[in-house]
Amino acid sequence: MDTAITEISKWQQFQDSWDLFRDPILCALIAGGVLGFLSVYVVLRRMVFVSAAVTHAAGLGVALAFFAQIHLGMHVDPMVGATALSVLATLLLMLDPARLKLTRESMLGLAFAFAGGAAVLVGDRIAQEAHDIQGILFGTAVLVTPENFYTVAGVGGAILVLQLWWYRGFTFVSFDRVGATVQGLPVRILDATLMMSIGVMVGVSARALGSLPVFAFSTLSAIAALVLDFRLRWTFLLATLFGCISGFGGYLFAFFYDYPVGGSQTVAASLLVAIAALIRGFLDLLDPTR
């Protein structure tokens, strides 16, 4: 009886405070959906650690923006810092490391470790913003400002339109590079545009929601969709839907049960992978020839 009263009270509180929660929830919904769509490229092109390195670079960009404002007197918008470092990390990871006698895995490990370690070091010198730094690295999503929301919505909408417009080119280059070259497609331009789309979306989303849930949206959404083994168009649709569910559902769970938002969104994305695996196992039992 007491539990029911508490749940009703929580729901009523949520409805009454919708104006307060609207921006963070819609921001998580949009970021989850767009990053979920892009996650199919991230996973199928085996760039999971690229996403991890870029999200850490976004956290470092925000920390550097705070550092510049506090110690150097330079006003740099943290959103600009996150996006700039994300794009820079993306461009560096696109270079061919063989000229430096390094493997691509070595470059990814170096970028991931350096960005994460540097964010901690810079954060140690801006103690008054320590809460913000922790929020960026692990995700809070309750600090989403209207400016952050409009930026994520605008950038996410533009990237999604571009992805749908050039869908055939992006998929052709991603999954049959030789065939795309033979057909005369601008492979390098399509590659660069796709990577820039991932870098920019990760940057603006990490500033608003935190690196941890952004990494989950940009990897686990596609993993859950791919486990179900549908055609490619359905995989993109399901990954987008799973990203939206992770962002929206994770926020609701955190609100009703008083958990951190970023961790709740990440666990929600992980649970979707487990549920998809169970569904796939059940379908295989019904039809072993599938």
Side-chain angles (χ1 to χ4, degrees):
M1 184 66 181
D2 289 340
T3 303
I5 292 174
T6 303
E7 289 176 351
I8 292 172
S9 175
K10 277 277 189 181
W11 180 248
Q12 187 63 47
Q13 182 183 351
F14 180 78
Q15 288 181 308
D16 293 342
S17 305
W18 170 247
D19 288 342
L20 178 64
F21 301 127
R22 181 188 56 205
D23 287 354
I25 289 179
L26 293 181
C27 187
L29 191 72
I30 294 169
V34 178
L35 288 170
F37 185 96
L38 294 172
S39 69
V40 179
Y41 293 114
V42 171
V43 174
L44 287 182
R45 295 180 66 158
R46 299 181 180 181
M47 300 190 303
V48 170
F49 285 103
V50 171
S51 177
V54 173
T55 52
H56 272 65
L60 174 60
V62 176
L64 286 174
F66 283 129
F67 184 90
Q69 185 169 355
I70 294 170
H71 294 287
L72 304 178
M74 299 169 56
H75 176 69
V76 180
D77 191 306
M79 183 73 81
V80 174
T83 305
L85 264 290
S86 297
V87 171
L88 178 62
T90 303
L91 293 176
L92 288 175
L93 293 173
M94 287 176 62
L95 299 177
D96 183 7
R99 295 180 179 177
L100 301 174
K101 307 298 181 184
L102 294 173
T103 64
R104 190 162 297 280
E105 287 73 18
S106 302
M107 286 291 291
L108 288 172
L110 175 63
F112 178 82
F114 173 77
V120 173
L121 292 182
V122 175
D124 187 66
R125 291 294 181 267
I126 46 177
Q128 56 268 54
E129 304 291 350
H131 180 71
D132 275 348
I133 298 299
Q134 289 295 317
I136 292 159
L137 293 178
F138 301 108
T140 61
V142 296
L143 303 176
V144 175
T145 64
E147 291 77 15
N148 289 342
F149 165 62
Y150 291 130
T151 302
V152 170
V155 171
I159 287 176
L160 194 57
V161 169
L162 178 65
Q163 289 297 320
L164 295 175
W165 184 18
W166 289 5
Y167 173 79
R168 288 181 180 277
F170 287 135
T171 53
F172 202 179
V173 168
S174 296
F175 309 128
D176 186 2
R177 192 178 186 82
V178 175
T181 303
V182 172
Q183 292 292 327
L185 291 180
V187 174
R188 290 186 177 180
I189 292 177
L190 289 168
D191 254 347
T193 305
L194 177 59
M195 295 297 289
M196 289 287 286
S197 298
I198 294 171
V200 171
M201 194 61 203
V202 165
V204 298
S205 301
R207 170 62 186 107
L209 304 175
S211 297
L212 183 61
V214 166
F215 175 69
F217 297 155
S218 59
T219 54
L220 298 180
S221 304
I223 293 173
L226 288 166
V227 165
L228 295 174
D229 194 22
F230 287 114
R231 298 174 69 89
L232 189 59
R233 287 178 182 272
W234 282 103
T235 299
F236 275 102
L237 180 62
L238 285 172
T240 305
L241 180 63
F242 289 157
C244 292
I245 293 173
S246 301
F248 182 75
Y251 196 99
L252 289 184
F253 179 83
F255 175 82
F256 284 106
Y257 295 98
D258 296 324
Y259 281 106
V261 178
S264 299
Q265 291 169 330
T266 304
V267 170
S270 305
L271 288 177
L272 287 175
V273 176
I275 293 171
L278 288 174
I279 293 174
R280 173 62 187 274
F282 180 71
L283 292 176
D284 286 346
L285 284 176
L286 294 178
D287 183 6
T289 62
R290 177 183 159 83

